[in-house]
Amino acid sequence: MKIVTGCLYHETNTFNPFPTTVDDFVLVEGKEVEERLASTEVFEKNGVEIIPSIYATALSSGIVKKEAYRHFADKFISVLEKHKDIDGIWMHLHGSMVVEEIGSGELALLKEIRQHIGYEIPISLTLDIHGNLAEDLHEYVNIVYSYRTVPHVDQPEVERISAQLLVDAIAHQAKIRPSFKSLPMIIPGEKAVGASEPLRSIFNKLKELEQMEGIISANFFICHAWNDTENTRSSIFVVPESEAYKALADKVTEELAAFVYDRRHEFEFQAKVLEPVEAIQRALEGASKPVFISDSGDNSTAGAPGMSTLLLQMLRDSDLKDKKVLVSAVYDAEAFQKLNGHQIGEKVAVKVGTDMDEYSKPVELEGILKSKGDLLGYLNATNDKVGEVCTLSIGNLDVIIANRGDSFITINHFTRAGVEIEDYDVIVVKQGYLFDELSAISKLDILAMTPGSTYQRIENIDYKNIPRPIFPMELA
């Protein structure tokens, strides 16, 4: 049994004005691809001959340049051209990639793959639960399995599941045609956290349905709200064991769609939601540390540029009440370059802010260059250096300035940047919901309702391309 494996992962934010290029991706090829993917252990255990293609992943950002997509797609297709006698394809994709002049990157890639291998060879995908799936994507793929955690901590487990489902399908020569249904609703990710209702009950429902004879995968895709396309909405994707269970899969799809849609009003923010000024005031009043403030409108894990200086400006002008505060991190390549030209311990004056919009106005800072360090990546690239940072200390306020957009999602992100997370009472992060390691140590999570490319009040966003009518805009 021969299976081609790979990963091309990008969550696109169409409100981010900066396009995503080849250089924004972490890319590995050949044998190292196998080391990055948990599916490898499943295939090895089953005696599969693995044919690795590419592992390309980037932090969420703007629309992917056509030439970037072409660069990675060509690398994947070239593997198919060299290996004609394969039995299956397994990939980890996101589900919300948007490519310049093309649209859905996942759909485009699957169509290209089918042109080379036909429709008899099964394809299995691991997908992010925040995918915006094209209406016809299910016509080009056989097996899909989505994450079952938000924040995401189960990617390796899901990779193993979707890999085993592919091995089983090949072994049994199963013909699989999945069922799909889109839902007329958009849910911001911060309103759908796995430990809370209604997503907790939905996850339980998926497990229940997957216990049925003939159903091997039942999936709910929340959607990626900051992706203005015709595919931006929630959806249901159900995979039968074989063609004999296709009618059952259709029935289960309708049942699951009704179950989810009936609970649409229950999706609410889980963190403490405050306007920016109130968020800072409440954080500085906290008796325990650390308190995290999520700069939710500039959430780089959902594709915002990471350039907003709004909270930085407010904190610089605030009485910090003897609290030690960290802003992690503001993306400003020019300010970084200036700071990087100095030695640690030197006093430096610098303007931080790209002035790209009203929320990234330059803020004048004068302080001591505290440290220099690495900027780490995302997904299975959290140990990969993707950029550099400098930390400027202005009294009790420390500011990390980066030479590219990114987010501090693990404790090691802080350590590698040259700061110790336990030193701070209040930490500002360019996130929405806190990622797992940070949530575990947080004494209070504050979702600051800041403006920007990931503005949480989606009913006020000027969408141009989403399907209408849709909840919560036109539909009640």
Side-chain angles (χ1 to χ4, degrees), residues 230-247:
E230 69 275 11
N231 303 316
T232 304
R233 74 285 179 269
S234 303
S235 63
I236 303 297
F237 199 114
V238 176
V239 182
E241 183 179 336
S242 67
E243 201 159 26
Y245 294 98
K246 178 63 165 67

